Amino acid sequence: MDGTWNIEMESPLGRKEASLDIAIQGDALTGMMRSDDLGEAEMENGRVDGNAVSWTADITKPMPVALEFDGTATGDTMSGDVKMGVFGVFPFTATKV
């Protein structure tokens, strides 16, 4: 999973895109999320358990909100759900660059 990923997620404001720079060490996932629409956020609380992945990112654009990602990675693809604070849960997909 190490490397750069392009992620797309649905949101209350429509589809949002970002890039993820992911590093795995043991069962820990770390990295950065960068997006023109969402700003830059450190990926925190990241975990990998088999194919299951999860992390959080606190964005500041268009407003401050904590994003909680929970998904499955298979090869060069990843998909799952992202909880966007009080706004609800939305799907995401990602592909490795």
Side-chain angles (χ1 to χ4, degrees), residues 9-81:
M9 61 198 101
E10 297 298 326
S11 81
L13 300 174
R15 184 178 301 247
K16 299 297 178 189
E17 297 179 356
S19 67
L20 307 175
D21 291 316
I22 296 175
I24 304 296
Q25 186 172 6
D27 64 352
L29 180 153
T30 60
M32 291 295 295
M33 183 175 83
R34 294 177 177 88
S35 168
D36 290 339
D37 291 336
L38 306 174
E40 186 174 288
E42 187 174 345
M43 298 166 68
E44 300 177 327
N45 307 308
R47 294 282 175 249
V48 177
D49 184 9
N51 288 348
V53 295
S54 62
W55 71 90
T56 61
D58 294 330
I59 61 168
T60 57
K61 291 171 43 178
M63 67 192 75
V65 66
L67 304 180
E68 300 175 30
F69 292 84
D70 188 18
T72 303
T74 305
D76 291 342
T77 62
M78 190 181 341
S79 63
D81 293 315

